[in-house]
Amino acid sequence: DQQVKQNSPSLSVQEGRISILNCDYTNSMFDYFLWYKKYPAEGPTFLISISSIKDKNEDGRFTVFLNKSAKHLSLHIVPSQPGDSAVYFCAASGGGYSTLTFGKGTMLLVSP
Amino acid sequence: SAVISQKPSRDICQRGTSLTIQCQVDSQVTMMFWYRQQPGQSLTLIATANQGSEATYESGFVIDKFPISRPNLTFSTLTVSNMSPEDSSIYLCSVLEGTGGINQPQHFGDGTRLSIL
């Protein structure tokens, strides 16, 4: 039973355009959500997070949107750059626990 | 953030053997965790490594198969025991810094890529 779902295994975008990565969750106890970026042969790198008291958090080119009623979050990257090509994982925690539940990841390819 | 070093970075092992993976952090951290990423799958939490006491294991993971030590606030080990090809995965250490409270991001090491023949 997957509690965090990333339904798109891959996404291709042209350089300079917007990349939108999506994530859905089922556990209503989740109240903290994170995005990680992972390059091959490296560990996941923390990118941006959002708590359930907010619906938007922005950091430079990266913005995360949270829709609690739909149990959906998305990561927007604007403008996309070739160096953004990586696997992006959505993760969530909640219920007073700091442990993370991950989605399966979306591979983003940004072409020049 | 803390610098996290995992050793070995990769290994190829024979079935039935055991391998111990080390995770060293360059500063004291509140919490340390061990995850597994099987091929094509998401990261799955194996256990929380507790300093000075037994680790807290997630459903589906047991101490006999994945013994964990955490002797201090900067170091932990995960042993994969009696390995079979199904144990071929990436094993990752992560840490929580600061107060280690909720709503804090975990930071990961580069992982150990383990293949069992």
Side-chain angles (χ1 to χ4, degrees), chain B residues 70-92:
Chain B
R70 190 179 172 196
N72 55 52
L73 294 177
T74 63
F75 186 77
S76 178
T77 66
L78 168 74
T79 299
V80 186
S81 302
N82 188 24
M83 289 183 285
S84 65
E86 293 72 32
D87 294 320
S88 297
S89 297
I90 301 174
Y91 292 87
L92 296 127

Side-chain angles (χ1 to χ4, degrees), chain B residues 2 13 21 33 41 46-47 72 101 105 109 112:
Chain B
C13 301
I21 302 167
F33 306 90
Q41 301 298 313
I46 298 172
N72 55 52
T112 297

Side-chain angles (χ1 to χ4, degrees), chain A residues 2 31-32 34 36 38-46 49 51-52 89 93 96-105, chain B residues 10 31 33 35 37 40-45 48 58 90 92 96 100-111 113:
Chain A
Q2 261 195 293
D31 56 13
Y32 182 57
L34 309 90
Y36 285 85
K38 186 180 184 301
Y39 293 119
E42 294 184 10
T45 301
F46 169 69
S49 64
S51 72
S52 59
F89 288 97
S93 68
Y97 295 97
S98 53
T99 54
L100 296 177
T101 301
F102 282 82
K104 287 189 175 183
Chain B
R10 60 177 63 242
M31 301 186 76
F33 306 90
Y35 288 81
Q37 185 185 15
Q41 301 298 313
S42 61
L43 282 74
T44 302
L45 180 66
T48 301
E58 297 299 304
I90 301 174
L92 296 127
L96 264 178
I102 58 173
N103 292 4
Q104 298 285 329
Q106 293 180 24
H107 298 280
F108 286 81
D110 281 341
R113 282 147 189 82

Side-chain angles (χ1 to χ4, degrees), chain A residues 3 25-33 52 68 71 92-97 99 101, chain B residues 102-103:
Chain A
Q3 298 185 63
Y25 62 96
T26 58
N27 190 336
S28 57
M29 296 296 290
F30 288 150
D31 56 13
Y32 182 57
F33 305 89
S52 59
K68 291 184 289 292
K71 292 189 173 68
S93 68
Y97 295 97
T99 54
T101 301
Chain B
I102 58 173
N103 292 4

Side-chain angles (χ1 to χ4, degrees), chain B residues 21-72:
Chain B
I21 302 167
Q22 298 181 0
C23 180
Q24 178 75 56
V25 192
D26 69 344
S27 60
Q28 293 185 345
V29 294
T30 309
M31 301 186 76
M32 298 180 77
F33 306 90
W34 288 97
Y35 288 81
R36 177 176 75 179
Q37 185 185 15
Q38 293 178 301
Q41 301 298 313
S42 61
L43 282 74
T44 302
L45 180 66
I46 298 172
T48 301
N50 300 310
Q51 193 257 331
S53 64
E54 191 172 291
T56 304
Y57 289 85
E58 297 299 304
S59 175
F61 297 96
V62 295
I63 187 171
D64 289 347
K65 177 66 176 177
F66 298 102
I68 288 171
S69 78
R70 190 179 172 196
N72 55 52

